[in-house]
């Protein structure tokens, strides 16, 4: 580089440095420009705050006087603060950001980690209106409200202007699980466009129970159409549904043992409901509801609703009305009727004595077995008859041979007819008892009363008792072994062995019964200890009943009765419906064979 070039570059640098120093903007000008950028950013985001103001407790960006006098000027930015409203049943934490309930604690209840039960908390809970104001969407969830607290109420207000505002009024009465909720849009009919607005509610369920997998299995968003039974979205997968077939009386974000229900004074016309399966630790599912609210631009609008926050206890939900108690799954038809009108009333009656729930289940099982004892007796007698007839059936089998199955069956049917035995007599009473056995399969896992109740070594009858923890997962079994489930399996094997002795089962039939208990060990290992305890008791009581019946029944006497029946003339034998059908069947078979011979 020569001397002239260097001198020229040096003089240019001096000129540039001087211009930056003498012509830089003043501090006041720089402040004004920062404020303009902040307001522009908020406007472009749809009345959302600038990035620095999104965090909780972030300092509010400074706005100039013109912005503060504009639409929602005082609500565009602010500092997030919280306040609490509580009674004997609930503790509600409100935030002025969005004017919403930030967290709900159900008092008197604990999680599996012995912490307070909080239905939802934090920024994952979104609640508010979406409005079309001046062609732009405004979400109240992003506005800063002014909070006014009284003894039983919390009033949240966001001012659009001096005489126009959005107001959320929450009311919590003593000892109540209900929270009144009113939306007042004072003067907003003059600025809101279109004939509807939307109420958006999103939340993430927090884990409350020991088994996250089981909690997900019993959690789903529910809804009820007018004049129809409540229904729910998928339990096992993500799903979105547009509810618009009829008026919607309520929507519920149901968890296993707790629920948040939104109940409008006037049914909703249209709701979009969604559920997501979450994989994050401690998160059960994600729910979202978008409610379409009609809007009249000719008058101020008010919407009255209420929340229910609390347990899924059947009698508590039933007191809410509108069939909200059907959030408690009682099983399919006819199981739900057995549970609701038979099992539940008996359980509630026994509960009134103040007994331990382990004792209540014991007494409930005994009462059930006493009521079903006639069926058990009939089943035992039928199986005893079949066992006594087995030598004669073996003789027929040896005479006819196993190759001609049709003829063999016909000979068996003749024998049954002669001695007056119904071969299905041992199965039918068992089948009649099966719905009750299956009803308990739905009853105990959904019974809130068992939650947190201990009995013997079982700390919580509403979940599994992990007596042995593996520290790793075994296929089909899981990461633990439930002692009550093991005892239930052993009792089932004992019952199967004794039942085979009564029925005289041989061959493959003798061993098939031993397979199911092993299958149940894997299936029921993660089910509530209360359910396995019931099945264990039912097996042992049935075993005791059959042992008692065996001591009372004389096989030789039964055999003599069968012989006497065999000697009676056909016209003196009283035919059962089953025997009549057997006669018809045999007659049809004979006609078919006769026709086949003629055709040949």
């Amino acid at each position: 580089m020569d001397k002239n070039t260097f001198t020229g570059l040096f003089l240019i640098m001096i000129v540039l440095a001087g211009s930056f120093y003498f012509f830089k903007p003043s501090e006041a000008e720089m402040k004004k420009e920062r404020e303009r950028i902040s307001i522009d950013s908020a406007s472009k985001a749809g009345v959302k705050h600038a990035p620095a103001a999104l965090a909780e407790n972030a300092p509010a960006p400074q706005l100039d006087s013109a912005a503060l006098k504009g639409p929602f000027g005082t609500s565009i930015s602010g500092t997030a603060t919280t306040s609490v409203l509580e009674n004997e049943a609930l503790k509600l934490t409100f935030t002025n950001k969005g004017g919403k309930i930030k967290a709900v604690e159900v008092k008197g209840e604990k999680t599996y980690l012995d912490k307070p039960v909080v239905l939802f908390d934090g920024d994952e809970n979104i609640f508010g209106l979406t409005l079309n104001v001046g062609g732009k969407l405004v979400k109240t969830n992003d506005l800063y409200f002014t909070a006014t607290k009284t003894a039983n109420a919390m009033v949240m207000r966001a001012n659009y202007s001096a005489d126009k505002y959005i107001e959320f009024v929450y009311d919590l009465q003593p000892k109540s699980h209900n929270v009144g909720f009113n939306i007042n849009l004072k003067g907003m009919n003059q600025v809101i466009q279109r004939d509807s607005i939307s109420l958006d509610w999103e939340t993430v369920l927090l884990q409350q129970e020991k088994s996250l997998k089981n909690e997900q299995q019993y959690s789903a968003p529910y809804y009820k159409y007018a004049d129809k039974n409540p229904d729910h979205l998928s339990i096992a997968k993500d799903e979105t549904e547009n509810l618009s077939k009829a008026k919607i009386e309520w929507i519920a974000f149901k968890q296993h043992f707790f629920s948040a229900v939104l109940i409008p004074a006037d049914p909703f016309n249209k709701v979009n409901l969604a559920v997501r399966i979450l994989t994050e630790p401690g998160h059960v599912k994600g729910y979202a509801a978008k409610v379409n609210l009609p809007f009249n631009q000719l008058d101020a609008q008010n919407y009255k609703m209420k929340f229910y926050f609390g347990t899924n206890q059947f009698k508590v939900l039933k007191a809410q009305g509108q069939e909200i108690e059907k959030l408690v799954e009682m099983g399919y038809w006819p199981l739900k009727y057995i549970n609701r009108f038979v099992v539940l009333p008996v359980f509630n009656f026994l509960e009134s004595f103040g007994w331990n729930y382990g004792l209540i289940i014991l007494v409930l099982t005994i009462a059930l077995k006493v009521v079903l004892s006639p069926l058990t007796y009939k089943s035992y007698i039928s199986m005893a008859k079949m066992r006594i007839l087995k030598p004669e059936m073996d003789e027929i089998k040896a005479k006819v041979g196993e190759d001609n199955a049709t003829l063999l069956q016909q000979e068996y049917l003749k024998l049954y007819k002669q001695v007056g035995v119904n071969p299905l007599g041992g199965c039918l009473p068992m089948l009649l008892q099966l719905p009750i056995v299956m009803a308990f399969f739905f009853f105990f896992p959904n019974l809130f009363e068992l939650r947190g109740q201990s009995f013997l070594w079982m700390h919580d009858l509403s979940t599994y008792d992990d007596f042995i923890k593996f520290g790793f997962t075994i296929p089909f079994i899981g990461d633990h072994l439930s002692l009550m489930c093991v005892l239930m399996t052993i009792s089932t094997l004992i019952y199967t062995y004794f039942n085979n002795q009564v029925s005289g089962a041989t061959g493959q039939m003798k061993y098939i019964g031993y397979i199911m208990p092993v299958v149940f060990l894997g299936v029921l290992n993660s089910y509530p200890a209360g359910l396995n305890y019931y099945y264990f008791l039912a097996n042992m009581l049935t075993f005791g009943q059959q042992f008692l019946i065996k001591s009372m029944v004389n096989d030789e006497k039964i055999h003599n009765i069968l012989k006497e029946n065999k000697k009676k003339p056909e016209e003196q034998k009283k035919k059962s419906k089953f025997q009549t059908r057997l006669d018809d069947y045999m007659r049809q078979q004979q006609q078919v064979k006769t026709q086949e011979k003629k055709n040949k």
Side-chain angles (χ1 to χ4, degrees), residues 49 53 58-61 74-80 96 144:
H49 313 300
T74 58
S75 301
I76 292 176
S77 66
T79 300
N96 66 322
Y144 287 83

Side-chain angles (χ1 to χ4, degrees), residues 341-499:
F341 299 111
V342 179
V343 180
L344 186 60
V346 175
F347 183 90
N348 289 336
F349 172 74
L350 296 175
E351 187 184 25
S352 66
F353 292 100
W355 297 339
N356 178 278
Y357 282 92
L359 180 59
I360 291 175
I361 295 175
L362 172 60
V363 175
L364 177 66
T365 311
I366 293 174
L368 182 64
K369 284 299 177 182
V370 170
V371 172
L372 296 177
S373 57
L375 292 176
T376 304
Y377 177 80
K378 189 173 182 180
S379 176
Y380 180 91
I381 296 299
S382 295
M383 288 190 293
K385 289 179 179 179
M386 293 298 294
R387 184 183 71 251
I388 293 169
L389 283 177
K390 190 173 184 307
E392 294 185 50
M393 295 174 67
D394 290 341
E395 290 179 8
I396 294 173
K397 188 176 182 179
K399 185 186 299 183
V400 175
E402 298 183 17
D403 296 334
N404 195 339
T406 302
L407 180 60
L408 180 62
Q409 191 63 31
Q410 288 179 349
E411 293 299 320
Y412 281 164
L413 293 177
K414 287 181 182 179
L415 176 63
Y416 298 150
K417 179 182 177 182
Q418 289 172 351
V419 298
V421 170
N422 183 349
L424 299 179
C427 299
L428 290 176
M430 300 301 295
L431 290 175
L432 292 175
Q433 297 182 53
L434 187 60
I436 296 178
V437 174
M438 291 300 299
F440 279 96
F441 184 79
F442 290 93
F443 182 75
F444 284 114
N446 289 288
L447 190 62
F448 174 82
E449 284 81 351
L450 296 184
R451 188 177 185 272
Q453 299 296 327
S454 62
F455 181 66
L456 300 177
W457 67 88
M458 298 168 284
H459 299 297
D460 188 347
L461 290 170
S462 71
T463 187
Y464 56 83
D465 60 306
D466 45 357
F467 192 77
I468 300 177
K469 299 179 181 178
F470 300 137
F472 52 88
T473 300
I474 298 177
F476 187 65
I477 296 295
D479 61 355
H480 67 278
L481 194 61
S482 167
L483 178 57
M484 185 50 71
C485 187
V486 172
L487 293 176
M488 182 275 298
T489 303
I490 294 173
S491 69
T492 307
L493 291 171
I494 294 173
Y495 170 73
T496 302
Y497 171 79
F498 185 76
N499 209 45

Side-chain angles (χ1 to χ4, degrees), residues 118-373:
V118 178
L119 300 188
F120 49 82
D121 191 9
D123 294 333
E124 292 173 321
N125 178 49
I126 296 174
F127 186 84
L129 302 174
T130 300
L131 313 170
N132 188 314
V133 179
K136 296 181 180 179
L137 293 181
V138 176
K139 293 182 179 292
T140 63
N141 193 73
D142 298 325
L143 298 179
Y144 287 83
F145 286 63
T146 300
T148 303
K149 179 182 176 182
T150 62
N152 298 320
M154 182 72 67
V155 179
M156 294 285 185
R157 180 179 292 186
N159 291 316
Y160 177 84
S161 63
D163 59 344
K164 299 178 180 65
Y165 57 82
I166 299 172
E167 187 177 71
F168 296 158
V169 181
Y170 303 88
D171 179 69
L172 179 63
Q173 295 300 313
K175 300 181 181 180
S176 177
H177 283 274
N178 291 329
V179 180
F181 175 59
N182 293 340
I183 301 174
N184 300 322
L185 302 179
K186 177 65 175 179
M188 295 300 294
N189 56 297
Q190 302 174 19
V191 295
I192 295 177
Q193 300 177 358
R194 298 184 182 177
D195 58 358
S196 67
I197 60 178
S198 70
L199 175 62
D200 303 314
W201 184 19
E202 297 181 29
T203 194
V204 171
L205 301 185
L206 305 176
Q207 183 179 355
Q208 315 290 349
E209 314 306 323
K210 181 193 292 186
S211 173
L212 179 61
K213 180 180 179 181
N214 287 351
E215 195 168 5
Q216 288 177 329
Q217 181 180 345
Y218 296 104
S219 301
Y222 277 65
Y223 59 92
K224 184 184 182 303
Y225 282 127
D227 301 324
K228 292 186 178 181
N229 287 323
D231 203 351
H232 61 82
L233 268 60
S234 174
I235 292 175
K237 63 181 181 180
D238 295 356
E239 185 180 10
T240 300
E241 188 166 347
N242 183 3
L243 310 177
S244 57
K245 297 178 182 178
K247 297 286 187 179
I248 300 131
E249 295 184 350
W250 50 262
I251 55 175
F253 287 178
K254 184 208 171 187
Q255 206 158 341
H256 189 176
F257 289 121
F258 301 93
S259 286
V261 188
L262 181 59
I263 310 165
D266 297 318
F268 298 133
N269 293 322
K270 181 180 178 182
V271 176
N272 287 325
L273 202 57
V275 58
R276 291 181 297 112
I277 308 296
L278 303 179
T279 58
E280 295 86 344
H283 288 179
V284 180
K285 289 182 179 179
Y287 294 160
K290 180 181 286 292
V291 180
N292 202 30
L293 300 176
F295 184 77
N296 185 353
Q297 294 178 328
L298 300 178
D299 197 5
Q301 299 291 288
N302 300 287
Y303 305 93
K304 293 184 178 181
M305 312 175 197
K306 70 175 180 179
F307 286 101
Y308 167 81
F309 297 121
T311 66
N312 291 335
Q313 191 173 6
F314 188 89
K315 57 186 177 183
V316 174
L317 293 176
K318 188 175 182 180
Q320 297 294 319
Q322 297 179 273
E323 298 184 282
I324 294 178
E325 72 275 7
K326 291 186 178 179
L327 287 174
V328 182
E329 287 291 342
M330 291 289 186
Y332 307 105
W333 185 94
L335 307 183
K336 61 182 177 181
Y337 298 108
I338 295 173
N339 279 328
R340 181 167 182 177
F341 299 111
V342 179
V343 180
L344 186 60
V346 175
F347 183 90
N348 289 336
F349 172 74
L350 296 175
E351 187 184 25
S352 66
F353 292 100
W355 297 339
N356 178 278
Y357 282 92
L359 180 59
I360 291 175
I361 295 175
L362 172 60
V363 175
L364 177 66
T365 311
I366 293 174
L368 182 64
K369 284 299 177 182
V370 170
V371 172
L372 296 177
S373 57

